[in-house]
Amino acid sequence: MFNLSKYSTEYRALTRLGLPITVSQIGMTLQGLCDTIMLGQHSATDLAAAGFVNSIFIIAILLGIGFSNGSVARMGFLYGAGKLQDLMSVFKSGIWANLTLSVVLTAAMTLIYFLLPYSGQQADLLTLMEEYFIILLPSLPILVMTGVFKPFYDSINDTKTNMWIMLAGNVWNVFFNWVLIFGHLGAPEMGIAGAALATATSRVFMLVLYALVFCMHRRYGQYRQLWRGAHATTSEFLELNKLGWPIGIQMSIETASFAGASLWLGWGGKTWDAVSSLAAYQVMVQVSSMIFLFFIGIGGAIAIRVSNAHGRNDRDAILLAAHGGYQMIVAVSIVLTTIVFFMRGSIAPLFVSGDDPVLLSRVSDIVVACCIPLALYQFGDGMQSAYVSALRGLGDVRPLMLYSFIAYIVVSLPMSYLFGIILDGGCPGIWYGFPFGLTTAAFLYLTRFRKTMARY
């Protein structure tokens, strides 16, 4: 029976934890938007080169983010159980786990850097790509090491600290983009190299802030005391890897399916052209991403609440967090999707210049058509966001790789190819494939969650 009083309390707790996570994600999105605008204003060639390199780095970044999300299950469990000394041992073990991950990812990206000359890129673009790549590369391990602190703060229900540090890093990045890309305040005009330096130094800045907060803030005094008696262990190191890798790979597969589907649009079709279709696709990615940011925030809160309840061995609280979070996601998706649907005719002009009215008209028509599958897949996207987060909170992550492969590679991509290419539906056809994959993922995750809780 639905208990409004219990769920109201859970809604408030999820909002308190999830809102800072959502704000952090919005800040990251706006940072990327500012980077794109600034580089585009400086040089279209700079923008193209940076876009290519970022599309490579995003896989490594997602693996790092997913790996750190795995720590939330372990740390949140110990926090909920009141085992703070063990929590700090996991924190120390996380340093070694993330250091190892940073070495692996940096080595892989270094290999890719040396393979860039064989990627078939134009000579002028290749020079810029190599410059941008080599400046960003040393900051990748710095970014990975922030994943030691972020899950710790999240696990002890301090999502606000992560929000403020993320926003501070975003401000740093945008400010130094302005200074270094265009040569303001006496700095040399560095273009794409300036953008890379701004991003790299912002990562160093955030890691320093994370460390300073832990070392100096009075809230963490008891944790600093416990730190002295904590020891990294091989068992915790292996446990963090067992939790982190499946989540990182699952996130990468999901992102790759969306990015991979866009490649087909470059072929063009019998009744649609590549330019307007690719432009519309990018517009829809931005729109859907803004909706999904709220799902990420609520999902992050679900994982924290579930892991804490798991540590207390409180089955009812686990179910309350998972189902209550899903209800919140459904409510948010209804509101945001309704707004998008009624604004569908006005979306394209926000992203596409009106200098070419014919192109703008074509893009706008495609965006309007894509809003229907966007609305259709909110049910599946919301459900998969809620229950994959609950599974992460429980530490039941091993099946996630297989489920995501089935949903996004076996189901979603072929359906997008069928509707978009074989049936010549173009960009809207590609988007009609997504509801199939996301709904498949939703039912796989929900079924797994129910089975796990049946054995709890």
Side-chain angles (χ1 to χ4, degrees):
M1 182 180 293
F2 181 81
N3 188 319
L4 180 60
S5 176
K6 284 186 178 180
Y7 274 103
S8 297
T9 302
E10 188 64 29
Y11 297 153
R12 288 193 292 271
L14 288 168
T15 300
R16 177 177 57 83
L17 292 172
L19 187 59
I21 299 174
T22 302
V23 173
S24 298
Q25 295 297 322
I26 292 174
M28 289 179 63
T29 301
L30 292 178
Q31 174 187 319
L33 183 61
C34 289
D35 288 354
T36 300
I37 292 173
M38 289 182 180
L39 272 177
Q41 289 177 342
H42 183 264
S43 165
T45 306
D46 282 357
L47 179 60
F52 179 84
V53 173
N54 285 331
S55 68
I56 297 173
F57 266 96
I58 191 62
I59 303 299
I61 292 172
L62 284 173
L63 283 170
I65 293 173
F67 191 90
S68 68
N69 283 342
S71 301
V72 173
R74 184 66 183 140
M75 291 183 174
F77 174 88
L78 294 170
Y79 179 75
K83 299 178 179 179
L84 300 187
Q85 184 68 68
D86 292 339
L87 172 60
M88 297 314 298
S89 293
V90 174
F91 191 6
K92 280 194 172 181
S93 300
I95 294 175
W96 292 106
N98 282 58
L99 276 172
T100 302
L101 175 66
S102 68
V103 170
V104 171
L105 292 180
T106 303
M109 297 303 290
T110 301
L111 176 61
I112 292 174
Y113 171 77
F114 286 112
L115 292 176
L116 280 178
Y118 306 99
S119 63
Q121 303 300 312
Q122 298 177 11
D124 56 339
L125 277 176
L126 179 61
T127 300
L128 293 173
M129 289 173 184
E130 290 177 331
E131 182 179 22
Y132 188 70
F133 199 117
I134 201 62
I135 295 173
L136 278 184
L137 185 59
S139 72
L140 180 59
I142 302 296
L143 179 63
V144 173
M145 292 310 296
T146 61
V148 175
F149 292 94
K150 185 180 183 302
F152 168 68
Y153 293 137
D154 279 346
S155 299
I156 63 173
N157 292 201
D158 184 16
T159 55
K160 288 184 179 179
T161 291
N162 286 324
M163 177 188 72
W164 289 117
I165 291 176
M166 182 65 66
L167 292 178
N170 291 347
V171 171
W172 175 292
N173 188 49
V174 171
F175 174 74
F176 282 100
N177 266 340
W178 177 75
V179 171
L180 298 176
I181 291 175
F182 302 103
H184 293 298
L185 302 180
E189 182 179 341
M190 300 178 67
I192 193 171
L197 279 173
T199 299
T201 55
S202 73
R203 293 171 179 174
V204 176
F205 176 61
M206 286 191 291
L207 182 59
V208 170
L209 287 180
Y210 272 119
L212 286 175
V213 169
F214 179 78
C215 293
M216 301 181 66
H217 199 287
R218 61 184 180 182
R219 173 172 181 174
Y220 301 104
Q222 64 171 326
Y223 295 104
R224 291 194 293 271
Q225 291 292 331
L226 294 170
W227 168 274
R228 297 185 180 96
H231 301 283
T233 65
T234 302
S235 60
E236 290 294 356
F237 173 86
L238 295 175
E239 181 67 18
L240 292 176
N241 276 275
K242 187 171 71 175
L243 291 170
W245 280 106
I247 298 177
I249 293 172
Q250 178 259 325
M251 292 176 63
S252 299
I253 290 174
E254 182 177 353
T255 302
S257 71
F258 275 80
S262 67
L263 298 177
W264 297 325
L265 294 177
W267 301 348
K270 297 177 182 177
T271 60
W272 50 274
D273 67 286
V275 174
S276 57
S277 294
L278 282 169
Y281 189 90
Q282 294 305 315
V283 171
M284 289 305 301
V285 165
Q286 294 298 320
V287 173
S288 63
S289 295
M290 291 304 296
I291 297 175
F292 191 65
L293 292 178
F294 291 88
F295 294 5
I296 292 175
I298 300 172
I302 292 171
I304 295 168
R305 294 284 290 173
V306 167
S307 66
N308 292 165
H310 185 35
R312 300 191 305 271
N313 198 32
D314 190 339
R315 183 179 187 276
D316 291 339
I318 293 172
L319 293 171
L320 194 66
H323 298 327
Y326 175 55
Q327 292 161 13
M328 289 181 64
I329 288 176
V330 169
V332 168
S333 68
I334 290 173
V335 172
L336 295 179
T337 305
T338 300
I339 293 172
V340 169
F341 192 78
F342 281 106
M343 291 182 59
R344 62 191 185 279
S346 305
I347 293 174
L350 298 175
F351 296 88
V352 180
S353 171
D355 294 341
D356 187 341
V358 176
L359 176 62
L360 175 58
S361 177
R362 290 202 302 267
V363 172
S364 185
D365 289 343
I366 296 171
V367 168
V368 168
C370 287
C371 284
I372 297 176
L374 174 71
L376 289 175
Y377 78 58
Q378 294 308 308
F379 167 78
D381 201 13
M383 181 181 289
Q384 71 91 17
S385 298
Y387 292 105
V388 77
S389 298
L391 290 170
R392 290 172 184 171
L394 289 168
D396 186 15
V397 297
R398 186 174 297 178
L400 298 185
M401 293 183 291
L402 175 61
Y403 291 167
S404 60
F405 181 82
I406 293 172
Y408 301 118
I409 306 301
V410 176
V411 176
S412 186
L413 280 177
M415 295 303 292
S416 289
Y417 187 81
L418 171 64
F419 292 124
I421 306 302
I422 295 178
L423 299 180
D424 203 42
C427 186
I430 295 291
W431 278 77
Y432 270 107
F434 297 154
F436 291 91
L438 289 165
T439 304
T440 299
F443 280 107
L444 288 172
Y445 296 148
L446 176 59
T447 301
R448 179 69 183 191
F449 177 73
R450 286 175 172 171
K451 288 181 178 179
T452 301
M453 295 310 299
R455 298 191 301 265
Y456 197 82

